[in-house]
Amino acid sequence: MTDVAALAGVSAQTVSRVARDEPTVRHETASRVRAAMAQLGYTPNRAARALRYGHYGTVGMIAHRLARTGESRTVEAVVEAAQAEGYTVTLVDIASPAPHDVSAAVARLSHQDIDGLIIVRAESATPDTLALPPHLPVVVSDSRFVGHHPAVAADQAGGARAAVGHLLELGHRTVHHLAGPQDSTPARQREEAWRAALAEAGAAVVPAVRGDWSAASGYDAGTVLAADPEVTAVFAANDQMAAGLVRALHEAGRAVPGDVSVVGFDGIELSAQLWPPLTTVEQDFGEIGRRLVDLLLRQVRDGENLADTHAVVPVRLVERESTAPPPAG
Amino acid sequence: MTDVAALAGVSAQTVSRVARDEPTVRHETASRVRAAMAQLGYTPNRAARALRYGHYGTVGMIAHRLARTGESRTVEAVVEAAQAEGYTVTLVDIASPAPHDVSAAVARLSHQDIDGLIIVRAESATPDTLALPPHLPVVVSDSRFVGHHPAVAADQAGGARAAVGHLLELGHRTVHHLAGPQDSTPARQREEAWRAALAEAGAAVVPAVRGDWSAASGYDAGTVLAADPEVTAVFAANDQMAAGLVRALHEAGRAVPGDVSVVGFDGIELSAQLWPPLTTVEQDFGEIGRRLVDLLLRQVRDGENLADTHAVVPVRLVERESTAPPPAG
DNA sequence: CGGGGCACTGTTAACGCAAACATCGCGGGC
DNA sequence: GCCCGCGATGTTTGCGTTAACAGTGCCCCG
């Protein structure tokens, strides 16, 4: 900056004014300064600016396994929403959802230049183990943190009930469940809602089969389910596992949806192009991302206390061709 | 910091020393300072630190459509690799791959606190339209920038040749191509290599059908391909489109691989669980991410000039059940 | 023709931190 | 017993920027 000032024959302050497009600089002077900036390749140092201003224009985001469907789509939505508000996003991927790793990530990020923090699926962390720096605005995409931090979550239970209800209405006597891993909150919520929906409808509550979200685990579970002639309808906790399940059913010679109906969860792009196209509970990740950013920035900018806020984002059952009435007899 | 110093009864410098774990502080003093830090909820201000040190410990990353397979997996790998080196990643999603939007993203990011920049698939941008700030280390995941910026790219051509070669070896007389969008470099590279491989093998060079990477576009293209009895083998430019294509084939009553063989590209998780499991060209996104970070940090830390570096990451043909010899006759 | 105001530009200080240097007190060597 | 050296801590200074205030020259008004 000093060099630019010298080259343009003005003071550093004037360079600063030009850099910030202050109107109180004569046109001629401004162009001279701009020329000097271009010649020297000058860019304002953001660290110094941030130091002066006291904020960074950046939000931190912590997630586990960024490349997964929900995560990557949430990341995309958060990045877009943050950009629209003039903020950039700094990302940290945690090694595991264990409290220790989450805390380490929080520590790492809170040492970065961030104005606020978004935690996606803190899974096994609890409010107490989070060890957040005081005064740092936070939003969590996990409803267990209500009362501690503002939270945004999809209507997991509603989605599960919709899936079960749909299958029951088609005439299935009960609905099996291909559940997600036990350390995942959404997985548990879907599983509990499935069980509750069955009980309320007076249908037989059968044991759940468990996968780990991966398509391969869905296939493995599918080989078991396919061998059981009692199984006529399965609600899978995500679309990946549903795809693996469908493959296992095909291999076992059980027609989908002729012999077995399948419902997924998430609404990944591929769900519509599977064979058969998958009936699924579609989540609005874009909305989740936008709500996360909104709740965070309201704290950052206006200092609102939103600890009790709990935004529930609705889900939608999309009926495609993987569900039908059970086989006669 | 001043408050902490006052509370602990030491100077600010000693607080600084404790914050950085300098060993020249007496244990007793250090604990007193730490207690004060905890009580006051003190966290070192990174902007001030960055100002002092002259670097940020952050790299910027620009990508288009973060939630797509290649992008999200590259992002994950980059984030992990950067974290391992003590850097965090700031993400910007561009609205479109048009030069104007890329430049805008560059401008936005270069005003952030970053030590270097990773540009993923600059697609339609060219070295000249990039308008990068001088002295900012950059790495691009696109081989067209060789000579201008260090680049990392998967072996698109090699992958396409492997796919075509595999199908030809099975006995197919020619291989059709379900291409990606024309404004995508990888799509063009795959398409050109497909055509070249066909020509070299003396096979008939048929026109390519074009999609936009989406599974739905693959389905649309698939309805056309399925109607043509001449088609016995299709190389799809990505797995999503391959999935849509396979569905269209199923619907048209053409068996996969009995009547038509299909090869995809990318190696998404679901490819192994489609029906039938998809033969595909697997990319090593993890390696791409690691190489990007490596090349960037070598510039950042050691000031190396890597402009001519062009890392080609090998791909691997994974043979599964969607390919077989053509139907007899 | 002198003073007030305005447009423009310069000077000073502070943001929070850490390197460099200064100081202090103590134990040991002579 | 005096001074050196070392460990532990304090003081000064500057990183690049910008807010606040301080000029400086010019035009216009009375």
Side-chain angles (χ1 to χ4, degrees), chain A residues 2-219:
Chain A
T2 316
D3 297 341
V4 174
L7 180 59
V10 297
S11 73
Q13 179 61 17
T14 300
V15 176
S16 167
R17 282 194 258 259
V18 173
R20 280 172 299 125
D21 289 322
E22 263 199 29
T24 69
V25 181
R26 204 158 31 123
H27 265 304
E28 193 196 354
T29 314
S31 354
R32 213 168 58 240
V33 172
R34 261 186 269 272
M37 292 203 282
Q39 186 180 332
L40 266 40
Y42 164 85
T43 305
N45 179 315
R46 284 286 290 198
R49 256 189 201 181
L51 180 58
R52 276 277 31 210
Y53 289 142
H55 72 267
Y56 310 96
T58 297
V59 302
M61 182 164 184
I62 294 180
H64 176 49
R65 305 194 89 324
L66 257 26
R68 274 198 311 216
T69 312
E71 275 67 8
S72 67
R73 289 175 62 184
T74 306
V75 167
E76 181 179 79
V78 164
V79 168
E80 274 177 15
Q83 266 174 223
E85 298 290 334
Y87 282 75
T88 51
V89 178
T90 291
L91 214 51
V92 169
D93 191 5
I94 52 180
S96 86
H100 169 265
D101 285 318
V102 175
S103 298
V106 168
R108 176 196 296 273
L109 251 188
S110 59
H111 283 202
Q112 282 296 325
D113 311 325
I114 59 170
D115 297 317
L117 182 59
I118 296 175
I119 302 179
V120 176
R121 297 245 183 106
E123 314 248 310
S124 61
T126 68
D128 306 320
T129 60
L130 229 43
L132 289 165
H135 317 308
L136 182 69
V138 171
V139 179
V140 180
S141 105
D142 183 328
S143 53
R144 285 173 312 137
F145 289 79
V146 174
H148 299 268
H149 304 292
V152 177
D155 184 9
Q156 313 286 354
R161 282 165 184 280
V164 173
H166 169 59
L167 291 166
L168 257 21
E169 269 174 31
L170 284 170
H172 295 272
R173 303 181 49 186
T174 188
V175 176
H176 286 71
H177 184 45
L178 175 39
Q182 267 177 313
D183 64 1
S184 157
T185 309
R188 280 198 310 276
Q189 291 172 328
R190 290 169 202 176
E191 183 176 344
E192 279 161 26
W194 155 76
R195 192 170 289 118
L198 243 33
E200 279 169 29
V205 177
V206 291
V209 180
R210 196 168 305 284
D212 64 5
W213 289 138
S214 75
S217 75
Y219 175 77

Side-chain angles (χ1 to χ4, degrees), chain A residues 174-268:
Chain A
T174 188
V175 176
H176 286 71
H177 184 45
L178 175 39
Q182 267 177 313
D183 64 1
S184 157
T185 309
R188 280 198 310 276
Q189 291 172 328
R190 290 169 202 176
E191 183 176 344
E192 279 161 26
W194 155 76
R195 192 170 289 118
L198 243 33
E200 279 169 29
V205 177
V206 291
V209 180
R210 196 168 305 284
D212 64 5
W213 289 138
S214 75
S217 75
Y219 175 77
D220 292 342
T223 57
V224 176
L225 257 9
D228 181 352
E230 294 291 309
V231 175
T232 67
V234 182
F235 164 47
N238 77 349
D239 288 347
Q240 317 279 334
M241 294 196 296
L245 164 66
V246 166
R247 181 188 152 213
L249 258 10
H250 279 139
E251 279 191 6
R254 301 199 66 184
V256 180
D259 295 324
V260 181
S261 288
V262 175
V263 177
F265 207 111
D266 276 355
I268 64 174

Side-chain angles (χ1 to χ4, degrees), chain B residues 157 161-162 164-165 168 192-205:
Chain B
R161 283 165 184 280
V164 173
L168 256 20
E192 279 161 26
W194 156 75
R195 193 171 287 118
L198 243 34
E200 280 168 29
V205 177

